[in-house]
Amino acid sequence: MSESSPILVFGHLCPDTDSVISALAAAELLNGRGIPAEAAMPGPLTPESAFVLRRFSLPCPPRVDSAAGRRVALVDFSNAGQGPADLREADIAAVFDHHRCDGDIASRAPELWLAPVACCATLLAGLFRFYDVVLPPGLAGGMLCAILSDTSLFKSSAATPQDLRAAEDLARRAGVADIAALGADLLTAKADISGCTMRELVLRDFKDFTMNGRIVGVGQLEMPDITPVEPLKGGLLAACAELAAEGRHSVMLAVTDLGREGSLILAASPRPDLFELAFGRPLHGGEAWIAGMISRKSDMVRPLRKAFESLGRNPD
Ligand code: MG
Ligand code: MG
Ligand code: MG
């Protein structure tokens, strides 16, 4: 394991805007502290992230699919299952995250930054101040977008006052006068579903979670209005079933309507009753509308995990 090659900084598989931008930000922060680092990403760029890089003239991190033998820093995740398959063969030098930590990775470095905020970029913005490292305006703009994306334009129940304050400060640094207008452009880019296969749409913003020993995949598509998705429901549900057949217990896609502030869920599962238990609505033909469901972390994963825990250890 070479101490001299730069630390490779990357976020989770199916990288979202926070994973891409926080990799750039953490690499900038580490370099500013005199620790050589370079950003990477373990998956393709989403239309939303492509928009953000273009809008603020930021470089696109190169693809990385293997971490074995490298010194790495993780951003926006801290669970082995959400990173490259050989992550356990890497030397984890630092972790910057805002999610629950399952403790299935180990690091010999004492640099673990975890905070209960809605976006990793919020945490990193604070660390630029902590380490007195200059934050370039373009990067500030990207970090602002990461916060707008992770908080669903502050509609998410996961959003904290720290996210809001960081966004206002980053907007000033980036010279963004109208945060709401930027948020609207971001959402338009995020909602672009043209030219995608059903599988690509389910996987666009997708994570695997271990719930009581079962792997449950949860994808999310956010749109200002989900009407264009209505005719695709059958195909999306079939793609969920296909992904479930690849070693997962269940797969759910939440198509979130930010106008109506709720989500249409599509679930492929041998236990639809667990989804009813979690969300208080029965599934009909694998689907249900759940009012108020916006945040994956708070409104989807937390109740679903509780429902799976009620299963006990019995296989099913
Ligand atoms: Mg993320
Ligand atoms: Mg995040
Ligand atoms: Mg997200």
Side-chain angles (χ1 to χ4, degrees):
M1 210 150 305
S2 163
E3 293 280 330
S4 56
S5 64
I7 291 177
L8 200 59
V9 189
F10 53 85
H12 53 76
L13 297 176
C14 303
D16 57 5
T17 295
D18 189 27
S19 270
V20 175
I21 297 297
S22 286
L24 291 171
E28 181 83 18
L29 177 74
L30 291 166
N31 282 308
R33 291 161 52 192
I35 304 166
E38 58 193 28
M41 56 180 198
L45 210 54
T46 64
E48 184 194 55
S49 300
F51 162 81
V52 173
L53 296 181
R54 250 193 339 266
R55 171 76 170 71
F56 291 100
S57 306
L58 292 166
C60 182
R63 259 306 270 270
V64 64
D65 295 305
S66 169
R70 291 292 307 259
R71 290 187 78 210
V72 302
L74 311 184
V75 294
D76 197 34
F77 81 110
S78 51
N79 298 330
Q82 291 173 0
D86 58 8
L87 184 59
R88 284 197 179 87
E89 294 161 51
D91 175 14
I92 296 170
V95 178
F96 306 90
D97 191 24
H98 66 109
H99 297 95
R100 157 198 170 106
C101 179
D102 286 335
D104 61 356
I105 57 152
S107 169
R108 64 189 169 92
E111 180 149 357
L112 303 172
W113 299 97
L114 307 174
V117 289
C119 180
C120 193
T122 298
L123 167 64
L124 285 161
L127 290 175
F128 272 87
R129 226 172 286 128
F130 183 83
Y131 284 108
D132 200 19
V133 171
V134 175
L135 179 51
L139 187 55
M143 292 165 78
L144 167 62
C145 290
I147 296 175
L148 292 172
S149 175
D150 264 12
T151 62
S152 304
L153 314 183
F154 297 110
K155 288 181 174 177
S156 164
S157 59
T160 68
Q162 288 72 35
D163 296 294
L164 188 55
R165 264 209 308 278
E168 286 167 348
D169 180 56
L170 291 165
R172 261 193 307 277
R173 287 171 190 273
V176 172
D178 190 342
I179 296 180
L182 176 63
D185 289 348
L186 196 65
L187 187 54
T188 302
K190 194 179 220 173
D192 181 5
I193 57 170
S194 55
C196 294
T197 65
M198 298 300 113
R199 187 183 169 95
E200 282 165 349
L201 290 177
V202 177
L203 286 176
R204 179 180 286 178
D205 183 1
F206 183 89
K207 286 184 184 177
D208 279 320
F209 300 88
T210 303
M211 300 188 185
N212 196 12
R214 286 113 175 140
I215 298 174
V216 179
V218 181
Q220 186 175 23
L221 269 182
E222 286 171 85
M223 326 199 65
D225 164 23
I226 64 169
T227 313
V229 172
E230 289 287 330
L232 309 179
K233 286 192 299 196
L236 290 169
L237 201 50
C240 287
E242 182 185 299
L243 285 158
E246 294 169 14
R248 298 175 178 90
H249 178 281
S250 303
V251 169
M252 159 180 148
L253 174 69
V255 189
T256 299
D257 189 316
L258 290 176
R260 288 167 69 199
E261 300 200 12
S263 294
L264 170 74
I265 61 167
L266 303 168
S269 175
R271 294 293 302 266
D273 56 307
L274 293 177
F275 289 78
E276 178 173 359
L277 180 63
F279 307 129
R281 307 269 306 186
L283 295 178
H284 292 293
E287 66 171 90
W289 168 259
I290 313 291
M293 175 188 273
I294 292 180
S295 160
R296 174 165 43 199
K297 184 160 55 171
S298 310
D299 307 332
M300 303 173 202
V301 174
R302 203 168 289 154
L304 205 49
R305 192 186 290 283
K306 249 192 174 157
F308 270 78
E309 274 159 10
S310 74
L311 277 178
R313 283 165 194 235
N314 299 333
D316 57 322

